[in-house]
Amino acid sequence: MTLGNTRFLLLLGLVSCAVIFTCSIFIGTETLDLGQAWRELRSLTPLSEAPTLSILLMQRIPRTLAAFLAGGGLAVAGCAFQALLRNPLATPYTLGVASAGALGAWVAFLLADVTAAIPLLALLTSKQVMAFLFAGLDVFLVYLL
């Protein structure tokens, strides 16, 4: 791939992201008038009295940014799996990482009843922590194999 092709693809990706970001702001049950939001912003109207600006700043833009961050994180995780294992077909499902994370969340759910008797286990009852630990252990074991 030449430098010109790389620049063109990068520019195409950035333009696509900008278009998707803009379109995502307008998707929702309530119609959004950007002119009205701009007038509410310029007049320094409080968000409690500016419904259009409130919808834009409190719901639509955070939702879109969260979607972009989640998608980017998943893409980086997929690239890391494939680079670490040198296998272009490696995914969290084929390696069992997704199942190990689900098992970790289930174990945390079961340990939640035991924490009343053993307070030290209260640190491990977070479902996210246990899912992460089990998934990490699975990646480690796959890497060792």
Side-chain angles (χ1 to χ4, degrees):
M1 188 177 278
T2 64
L3 184 61
N5 286 344
T6 304
R7 287 183 180 167
F8 174 73
L9 289 176
L10 182 62
L11 181 64
L12 182 66
L14 289 174
V15 169
S16 298
C17 283
V19 168
I20 291 170
F21 187 89
T22 304
C23 290
S24 175
I25 289 175
F26 291 105
I27 295 174
T29 57
E30 187 70 28
T31 59
L32 193 66
D33 181 19
L34 286 182
Q36 177 66 26
W38 178 249
R39 285 188 292 277
E40 291 171 352
L41 180 65
R42 284 190 35 212
S43 67
L44 299 176
T45 307
L47 287 179
S48 60
E49 299 172 10
T52 306
L53 184 62
S54 176
I55 289 170
L56 181 67
L57 294 179
M58 303 301 282
Q59 294 177 358
R60 303 276 176 93
I61 290 177
R63 175 193 66 189
T64 303
L65 289 175
F68 269 80
L69 287 175
L74 289 171
V76 168
C79 287
F81 270 127
Q82 292 174 359
L84 177 70
L85 300 172
R86 295 186 201 115
N87 182 353
L89 300 176
T91 67
Y93 299 102
T94 58
L95 299 174
V97 177
S99 299
L103 177 65
W106 181 70
V107 167
F109 179 75
L110 292 179
L111 285 178
D113 295 335
V114 181
T115 57
I118 306 170
L120 183 61
L121 288 177
L123 297 174
L124 294 178
T125 58
S126 171
K127 291 173 187 64
Q128 293 87 355
V129 170
M130 287 295 280
F132 181 76
L133 290 175
F134 273 59
L137 180 65
D138 182 67
V139 169
F140 180 70
L141 291 174
V142 168
Y143 186 69
L144 285 179
L145 290 175

